Amino acid sequence: MAVIKANSEDVKLLARLLRAEAEGDGEQGMLLVGNVGVNRVLVDCLDFRDIRDINRMVFQNPGGFESTQKGYFYQRARQSEIRLARRVINGERIWPASNALWFFRPVGECPDTWYNQQNTGRFKAHCFFSPTGEDCPEVY
């Protein structure tokens, strides 16, 4: 059962985002990016107030995703990434992104905090960061 509303075009858009942001980190890395995206739609806190759908989440500006500015993002969604997008839309959550609202790819080690949010862990190239339950209870 879906945890956020999504039609077939939304699923394809999220699939394109997963690939463009984390293809190099494999399926699990793409699922983690999907967790962050779904979390941003679910919450109404911090930088993600009034982000109620996948399209607004993907193209949020400022604060959106770097990949939307590159041509690779605009390629057609593949079935493999569409399946991954459906999994996170249906509520699959994976640590360290299960409650994360941010991720980035540092040059070196993950910092302890990013935008005042705690580092929850790293998967391959990306570090993930979650707000406190006090700052954003909807993500927990």
Side-chain angles (χ1 to χ4, degrees):
M1 177 155 185
V3 295
I4 60 172
K5 291 181 181 181
N7 62 34
S8 62
E9 292 306 308
D10 294 328
V11 174
K12 290 176 188 174
L13 179 61
L14 182 58
R16 290 175 23 218
L17 181 71
L18 302 183
R19 182 179 66 214
E21 288 286 342
E23 182 176 39
D25 284 353
E27 270 194 21
Q28 186 166 340
M30 289 187 279
L31 287 169
L32 294 169
V33 166
N35 281 172
V36 170
V38 168
N39 288 344
R40 288 179 177 189
V41 174
L42 283 171
V43 303
D44 191 26
C45 62
L46 303 170
D47 297 335
F48 309 103
R49 296 193 185 280
D50 298 320
I51 304 296
R52 301 281 62 92
D53 60 61
I54 290 174
N55 189 69
R56 289 174 78 181
M57 176 270 296
V58 169
F59 294 107
Q60 180 183 1
N61 190 11
F65 296 95
E66 209 174 278
S67 65
T68 61
Q69 300 167 18
K70 310 220 187 292
Y72 191 62
F73 171 80
Y74 292 93
Q75 294 181 13
R76 186 174 56 84
R78 298 182 297 203
Q79 285 304 311
S80 56
E81 286 87 23
I82 289 171
R83 283 190 295 277
L84 296 175
R86 284 190 180 120
R87 286 171 60 183
V88 295
I89 288 168
N90 286 331
E92 185 171 338
R93 297 173 103 179
I94 302 171
W95 183 90
S98 52
N99 305 105
L101 293 175
W102 295 270
F103 67 89
F104 83 104
R105 183 181 181 147
V107 174
E109 296 299 314
C110 297
D112 291 337
T113 60
W114 197 50
Y115 291 104
N116 298 317
Q117 308 306 307
Q118 289 298 300
N119 176 357
T120 55
R122 181 180 199 133
F123 182 77
K124 295 188 179 183
H126 291 93
C127 303
F128 295 85
F129 300 85
S130 297
T132 65
E134 186 177 301
D135 286 339
C136 196
E138 303 101 331
V139 81
Y140 290 93

Short mmCIF file of all heavy atoms in Angstrom, two decimals, residues 33-78:
data_model
loop_
_atom_site.label_atom_id
_atom_site.label_comp_id
_atom_site.label_asym_id
_atom_site.label_seq_id
_atom_site.Cartn_x
_atom_site.Cartn_y
_atom_site.Cartn_z
N VAL A 33 18.10 6.74 -1.77
CA VAL A 33 17.72 8.05 -2.32
C VAL A 33 16.19 8.14 -2.39
O VAL A 33 15.60 9.17 -2.08
CB VAL A 33 18.37 8.28 -3.69
CG1 VAL A 33 17.74 9.45 -4.43
CG2 VAL A 33 19.87 8.49 -3.53
N GLY A 34 15.56 7.07 -2.78
CA GLY A 34 14.10 7.03 -2.80
C GLY A 34 13.49 7.26 -1.43
O GLY A 34 12.48 7.94 -1.30
N ASN A 35 14.11 6.68 -0.39
CA ASN A 35 13.64 6.92 0.98
C ASN A 35 13.65 8.40 1.30
O ASN A 35 12.68 8.94 1.85
CB ASN A 35 14.51 6.20 1.99
CG ASN A 35 14.23 4.72 2.15
OD1 ASN A 35 14.98 4.02 2.83
ND2 ASN A 35 13.18 4.20 1.54
N VAL A 36 14.73 9.07 0.96
CA VAL A 36 14.84 10.50 1.23
C VAL A 36 13.73 11.26 0.50
O VAL A 36 13.05 12.10 1.07
CB VAL A 36 16.23 11.04 0.85
CG1 VAL A 36 16.27 12.57 0.90
CG2 VAL A 36 17.30 10.45 1.77
N GLY A 37 13.51 10.92 -0.76
CA GLY A 37 12.47 11.59 -1.53
C GLY A 37 11.08 11.38 -0.95
O GLY A 37 10.31 12.34 -0.78
N VAL A 38 10.75 10.15 -0.64
CA VAL A 38 9.44 9.86 -0.05
C VAL A 38 9.29 10.56 1.29
O VAL A 38 8.24 11.14 1.59
CB VAL A 38 9.22 8.33 0.08
CG1 VAL A 38 8.00 8.02 0.94
CG2 VAL A 38 9.07 7.70 -1.31
N ASN A 39 10.35 10.55 2.10
CA ASN A 39 10.29 11.25 3.39
C ASN A 39 9.99 12.73 3.21
O ASN A 39 9.22 13.32 3.97
CB ASN A 39 11.60 11.07 4.16
CG ASN A 39 11.78 9.67 4.69
OD1 ASN A 39 10.84 8.89 4.77
ND2 ASN A 39 13.01 9.34 5.05
N ARG A 40 10.57 13.34 2.19
CA ARG A 40 10.34 14.76 1.95
C ARG A 40 8.88 15.05 1.59
O ARG A 40 8.35 16.11 1.90
CB ARG A 40 11.26 15.28 0.85
CG ARG A 40 12.71 15.39 1.28
CD ARG A 40 13.58 15.87 0.16
NE ARG A 40 14.96 16.04 0.59
CZ ARG A 40 15.90 16.61 -0.15
NH1 ARG A 40 15.60 17.08 -1.36
NH2 ARG A 40 17.13 16.72 0.31
N VAL A 41 8.23 14.11 0.91
CA VAL A 41 6.82 14.28 0.58
C VAL A 41 5.95 14.06 1.82
O VAL A 41 4.94 14.74 2.02
CB VAL A 41 6.40 13.32 -0.56
CG1 VAL A 41 4.91 13.38 -0.82
CG2 VAL A 41 7.18 13.64 -1.84
N LEU A 42 6.35 13.12 2.68
CA LEU A 42 5.56 12.77 3.86
C LEU A 42 5.53 13.86 4.92
O LEU A 42 4.54 14.01 5.63
CB LEU A 42 6.12 11.51 4.51
CG LEU A 42 5.79 10.18 3.85
CD1 LEU A 42 6.60 9.07 4.49
CD2 LEU A 42 4.31 9.91 3.95
N VAL A 43 6.62 14.61 5.06
CA VAL A 43 6.74 15.55 6.17
C VAL A 43 6.26 16.95 5.80
O VAL A 43 6.10 17.28 4.63
CB VAL A 43 8.20 15.62 6.68
CG1 VAL A 43 8.69 14.24 7.10
CG2 VAL A 43 9.13 16.25 5.66
N ASP A 44 6.05 17.74 6.82
CA ASP A 44 5.71 19.15 6.65
C ASP A 44 6.54 19.93 7.67
O ASP A 44 6.00 20.51 8.61
CB ASP A 44 4.22 19.37 6.84
CG ASP A 44 3.79 20.77 6.42
OD1 ASP A 44 4.47 21.37 5.56
OD2 ASP A 44 2.79 21.27 6.96
N CYS A 45 7.86 19.89 7.48
CA CYS A 45 8.75 20.51 8.45
C CYS A 45 10.02 21.00 7.75
O CYS A 45 10.28 20.66 6.59
CB CYS A 45 9.12 19.51 9.54
SG CYS A 45 10.00 18.06 8.92
N LEU A 46 10.76 21.82 8.48
CA LEU A 46 12.06 22.31 8.03
C LEU A 46 11.99 22.85 6.61
O LEU A 46 11.15 23.68 6.32
CB LEU A 46 13.12 21.22 8.21
CG LEU A 46 13.26 20.69 9.65
CD1 LEU A 46 14.13 19.46 9.70
CD2 LEU A 46 13.79 21.78 10.57
N ASP A 47 12.85 22.37 5.72
CA ASP A 47 12.90 22.87 4.34
C ASP A 47 11.82 22.26 3.44
O ASP A 47 11.77 22.57 2.25
CB ASP A 47 14.26 22.56 3.72
CG ASP A 47 15.40 23.27 4.42
OD1 ASP A 47 15.15 24.31 5.05
OD2 ASP A 47 16.53 22.78 4.34
N PHE A 48 10.98 21.40 3.99
CA PHE A 48 10.07 20.63 3.16
C PHE A 48 8.60 20.88 3.48
O PHE A 48 7.75 20.00 3.37
CB PHE A 48 10.44 19.14 3.27
CG PHE A 48 11.90 18.94 3.03
CD1 PHE A 48 12.77 18.71 4.08
CD2 PHE A 48 12.43 19.10 1.76
CE1 PHE A 48 14.13 18.59 3.87
CE2 PHE A 48 13.79 18.98 1.53
CZ PHE A 48 14.64 18.73 2.59
N ARG A 49 8.29 22.11 3.81
CA ARG A 49 6.90 22.50 4.03
C ARG A 49 6.22 22.62 2.66
O ARG A 49 6.79 23.13 1.72
CB ARG A 49 6.83 23.82 4.79
CG ARG A 49 7.40 23.69 6.19
CD ARG A 49 7.06 24.89 7.05
NE ARG A 49 7.72 24.78 8.33
CZ ARG A 49 7.29 24.03 9.35
NH1 ARG A 49 6.21 23.31 9.20
NH2 ARG A 49 7.95 23.98 10.49
N ASP A 50 5.02 22.12 2.60
CA ASP A 50 4.21 22.21 1.37
C ASP A 50 4.82 21.47 0.18
O ASP A 50 4.56 21.82 -0.98
CB ASP A 50 3.94 23.68 1.01
CG ASP A 50 3.15 24.38 2.10
OD1 ASP A 50 2.23 23.74 2.66
OD2 ASP A 50 3.47 25.54 2.41
N ILE A 51 5.63 20.46 0.43
CA ILE A 51 6.12 19.58 -0.64
C ILE A 51 5.26 18.32 -0.55
O ILE A 51 5.59 17.37 0.13
CB ILE A 51 7.62 19.24 -0.43
CG1 ILE A 51 8.47 20.49 -0.35
CG2 ILE A 51 8.11 18.30 -1.54
CD1 ILE A 51 8.51 21.34 -1.60
N ARG A 52 4.11 18.32 -1.18
CA ARG A 52 3.12 17.27 -0.99
C ARG A 52 3.07 16.25 -2.11
O ARG A 52 2.24 15.35 -2.07
CB ARG A 52 1.72 17.87 -0.82
CG ARG A 52 1.57 18.82 0.35
CD ARG A 52 1.42 18.15 1.72
NE ARG A 52 2.52 17.34 2.14
CZ ARG A 52 3.56 17.75 2.88
NH1 ARG A 52 3.64 18.99 3.28
NH2 ARG A 52 4.51 16.91 3.23
N ASP A 53 3.90 16.37 -3.12
CA ASP A 53 3.87 15.39 -4.21
C ASP A 53 5.26 15.19 -4.78
O ASP A 53 6.19 15.97 -4.52
CB ASP A 53 2.87 15.81 -5.30
CG ASP A 53 3.19 17.14 -5.93
OD1 ASP A 53 4.28 17.28 -6.54
OD2 ASP A 53 2.36 18.06 -5.85
N ILE A 54 5.41 14.16 -5.55
CA ILE A 54 6.73 13.78 -6.09
C ILE A 54 7.28 14.86 -7.00
O ILE A 54 8.46 15.20 -6.93
CB ILE A 54 6.65 12.41 -6.79
CG1 ILE A 54 6.44 11.32 -5.73
CG2 ILE A 54 7.91 12.13 -7.61
CD1 ILE A 54 6.19 9.94 -6.27
N ASN A 55 6.47 15.43 -7.86
CA ASN A 55 6.95 16.45 -8.78
C ASN A 55 7.53 17.65 -8.02
O ASN A 55 8.62 18.12 -8.33
CB ASN A 55 5.83 16.90 -9.71
CG ASN A 55 6.35 17.79 -10.81
OD1 ASN A 55 7.07 17.34 -11.69
ND2 ASN A 55 5.98 19.06 -10.76
N ARG A 56 6.82 18.13 -7.02
CA ARG A 56 7.32 19.28 -6.24
C ARG A 56 8.58 18.92 -5.47
O ARG A 56 9.48 19.73 -5.31
CB ARG A 56 6.23 19.79 -5.30
CG ARG A 56 5.12 20.48 -6.09
CD ARG A 56 3.97 20.86 -5.22
NE ARG A 56 4.31 22.07 -4.48
CZ ARG A 56 3.49 22.64 -3.61
NH1 ARG A 56 2.30 22.13 -3.39
NH2 ARG A 56 3.85 23.73 -2.98
N MET A 57 8.66 17.67 -4.98
CA MET A 57 9.85 17.22 -4.26
C MET A 57 11.05 17.17 -5.19
O MET A 57 12.12 17.68 -4.87
CB MET A 57 9.57 15.84 -3.63
CG MET A 57 10.76 15.21 -2.92
SD MET A 57 11.81 14.19 -3.98
CE MET A 57 10.70 12.87 -4.45
N VAL A 58 10.89 16.58 -6.35
CA VAL A 58 12.01 16.43 -7.28
C VAL A 58 12.53 17.78 -7.75
O VAL A 58 13.73 18.00 -7.83
CB VAL A 58 11.60 15.55 -8.49
CG1 VAL A 58 12.65 15.60 -9.60
CG2 VAL A 58 11.36 14.12 -8.04
N PHE A 59 11.63 18.70 -8.05
CA PHE A 59 12.03 19.99 -8.62
C PHE A 59 12.05 21.14 -7.60
O PHE A 59 12.11 22.30 -8.00
CB PHE A 59 11.14 20.34 -9.80
CG PHE A 59 11.31 19.40 -10.95
CD1 PHE A 59 10.33 18.46 -11.25
CD2 PHE A 59 12.46 19.42 -11.72
CE1 PHE A 59 10.50 17.57 -12.31
CE2 PHE A 59 12.64 18.53 -12.77
CZ PHE A 59 11.65 17.61 -13.06
N GLN A 60 12.04 20.82 -6.32
CA GLN A 60 12.09 21.87 -5.29
C GLN A 60 13.30 22.76 -5.55
O GLN A 60 14.41 22.28 -5.80
CB GLN A 60 12.20 21.24 -3.90
CG GLN A 60 12.26 22.27 -2.80
CD GLN A 60 12.45 21.64 -1.43
OE1 GLN A 60 12.56 20.44 -1.28
NE2 GLN A 60 12.48 22.47 -0.41
N ASN A 61 13.05 24.07 -5.46
CA ASN A 61 14.13 25.03 -5.70
C ASN A 61 13.89 26.26 -4.84
O ASN A 61 12.83 26.87 -4.96
CB ASN A 61 14.17 25.40 -7.18
CG ASN A 61 15.39 26.20 -7.53
OD1 ASN A 61 16.32 26.33 -6.75
ND2 ASN A 61 15.38 26.76 -8.72
N PRO A 62 14.83 26.60 -3.97
CA PRO A 62 16.10 25.91 -3.71
C PRO A 62 15.89 24.65 -2.88
O PRO A 62 14.81 24.44 -2.34
CB PRO A 62 16.91 26.94 -2.92
CG PRO A 62 15.88 27.76 -2.21
CD PRO A 62 14.67 27.79 -3.12
N GLY A 63 16.93 23.87 -2.77
CA GLY A 63 16.90 22.69 -1.92
C GLY A 63 16.61 21.39 -2.63
O GLY A 63 16.50 20.35 -2.00
N GLY A 64 16.50 21.43 -3.94
CA GLY A 64 16.17 20.23 -4.69
C GLY A 64 17.39 19.38 -5.01
O GLY A 64 18.40 19.43 -4.31
N PHE A 65 17.31 18.66 -6.07
CA PHE A 65 18.35 17.70 -6.44
C PHE A 65 19.19 18.22 -7.59
O PHE A 65 18.66 18.69 -8.59
CB PHE A 65 17.71 16.36 -6.81
CG PHE A 65 17.00 15.73 -5.65
CD1 PHE A 65 15.65 15.90 -5.46
CD2 PHE A 65 17.70 14.96 -4.74
CE1 PHE A 65 14.99 15.32 -4.39
CE2 PHE A 65 17.07 14.37 -3.66
CZ PHE A 65 15.71 14.56 -3.49
N GLU A 66 20.48 18.08 -7.44
CA GLU A 66 21.45 18.54 -8.44
C GLU A 66 21.24 17.87 -9.79
O GLU A 66 21.42 18.47 -10.84
CB GLU A 66 22.84 18.21 -7.91
CG GLU A 66 23.93 19.13 -8.37
CD GLU A 66 25.22 18.77 -7.66
OE1 GLU A 66 25.42 19.20 -6.52
OE2 GLU A 66 26.02 18.04 -8.29
N SER A 67 20.85 16.60 -9.77
CA SER A 67 20.75 15.84 -11.02
C SER A 67 19.71 16.39 -11.99
O SER A 67 19.81 16.16 -13.19
CB SER A 67 20.45 14.38 -10.73
OG SER A 67 19.18 14.24 -10.14
N THR A 68 18.72 17.14 -11.49
CA THR A 68 17.69 17.68 -12.38
C THR A 68 18.25 18.74 -13.32
O THR A 68 17.57 19.15 -14.26
CB THR A 68 16.51 18.27 -11.59
OG1 THR A 68 16.98 19.34 -10.77
CG2 THR A 68 15.84 17.21 -10.73
N GLN A 69 19.48 19.15 -13.08
CA GLN A 69 20.13 20.14 -13.92
C GLN A 69 21.03 19.50 -14.98
O GLN A 69 21.71 20.21 -15.71
CB GLN A 69 20.94 21.09 -13.04
CG GLN A 69 20.09 21.82 -12.03
CD GLN A 69 20.92 22.51 -10.97
OE1 GLN A 69 22.11 22.73 -11.15
NE2 GLN A 69 20.30 22.86 -9.87
N LYS A 70 21.00 18.18 -15.05
CA LYS A 70 21.88 17.46 -15.98
C LYS A 70 21.05 16.62 -16.94
O LYS A 70 19.97 16.14 -16.60
CB LYS A 70 22.83 16.57 -15.19
CG LYS A 70 23.54 17.31 -14.06
CD LYS A 70 24.96 16.91 -13.94
CE LYS A 70 25.67 17.48 -12.77
NZ LYS A 70 25.94 18.78 -12.61
N GLY A 71 21.56 16.45 -18.13
CA GLY A 71 20.83 15.72 -19.17
C GLY A 71 20.49 14.29 -18.83
O GLY A 71 19.46 13.77 -19.26
N TYR A 72 21.35 13.61 -18.06
CA TYR A 72 21.12 12.20 -17.74
C TYR A 72 19.78 12.00 -17.04
O TYR A 72 19.09 11.00 -17.28
CB TYR A 72 22.27 11.69 -16.87
CG TYR A 72 22.28 10.19 -16.69
CD1 TYR A 72 22.43 9.35 -17.78
CD2 TYR A 72 22.17 9.62 -15.43
CE1 TYR A 72 22.44 7.98 -17.63
CE2 TYR A 72 22.18 8.26 -15.26
CZ TYR A 72 22.32 7.43 -16.36
OH TYR A 72 22.33 6.07 -16.20
N PHE A 73 19.37 12.94 -16.22
CA PHE A 73 18.10 12.86 -15.51
C PHE A 73 16.93 12.79 -16.48
O PHE A 73 15.91 12.15 -16.20
CB PHE A 73 17.94 14.08 -14.58
CG PHE A 73 16.58 14.19 -13.98
CD1 PHE A 73 16.23 13.43 -12.88
CD2 PHE A 73 15.62 15.05 -14.51
CE1 PHE A 73 14.97 13.51 -12.32
CE2 PHE A 73 14.36 15.15 -13.96
CZ PHE A 73 14.03 14.38 -12.85
N TYR A 74 17.04 13.40 -17.64
CA TYR A 74 15.92 13.52 -18.56
C TYR A 74 15.77 12.34 -19.52
O TYR A 74 14.92 12.37 -20.40
CB TYR A 74 16.01 14.87 -19.29
CG TYR A 74 15.77 15.98 -18.31
CD1 TYR A 74 16.82 16.60 -17.66
CD2 TYR A 74 14.47 16.34 -17.96
CE1 TYR A 74 16.60 17.59 -16.69
CE2 TYR A 74 14.24 17.32 -17.00
CZ TYR A 74 15.30 17.93 -16.38
OH TYR A 74 15.07 18.89 -15.42
N GLN A 75 16.54 11.29 -19.32
CA GLN A 75 16.35 10.07 -20.11
C GLN A 75 15.14 9.31 -19.60
O GLN A 75 14.74 9.44 -18.44
CB GLN A 75 17.60 9.20 -20.02
CG GLN A 75 18.81 9.83 -20.66
CD GLN A 75 20.03 8.93 -20.57
OE1 GLN A 75 19.94 7.76 -20.26
NE2 GLN A 75 21.18 9.51 -20.86
N ARG A 76 14.58 8.50 -20.47
CA ARG A 76 13.39 7.70 -20.12
C ARG A 76 13.67 6.77 -18.95
O ARG A 76 14.76 6.22 -18.82
CB ARG A 76 12.98 6.88 -21.36
CG ARG A 76 11.70 6.11 -21.21
CD ARG A 76 11.29 5.44 -22.52
NE ARG A 76 12.30 4.57 -23.09
CZ ARG A 76 12.48 3.30 -22.73
NH1 ARG A 76 11.71 2.75 -21.81
NH2 ARG A 76 13.41 2.57 -23.31
N ALA A 77 12.69 6.62 -18.07
CA ALA A 77 12.81 5.71 -16.92
C ALA A 77 12.90 4.27 -17.41
O ALA A 77 12.21 3.87 -18.35
CB ALA A 77 11.60 5.87 -16.01
N ARG A 78 13.75 3.49 -16.77
CA ARG A 78 13.90 2.06 -17.08
C ARG A 78 13.06 1.24 -16.10
O ARG A 78 12.81 1.67 -14.98
CB ARG A 78 15.37 1.64 -17.00
CG ARG A 78 16.23 2.38 -18.01
CD ARG A 78 17.67 1.93 -17.96
NE ARG A 78 18.28 2.21 -16.66
CZ ARG A 78 19.59 2.34 -16.47
NH1 ARG A 78 20.43 2.23 -17.48
NH2 ARG A 78 20.06 2.59 -15.27
#
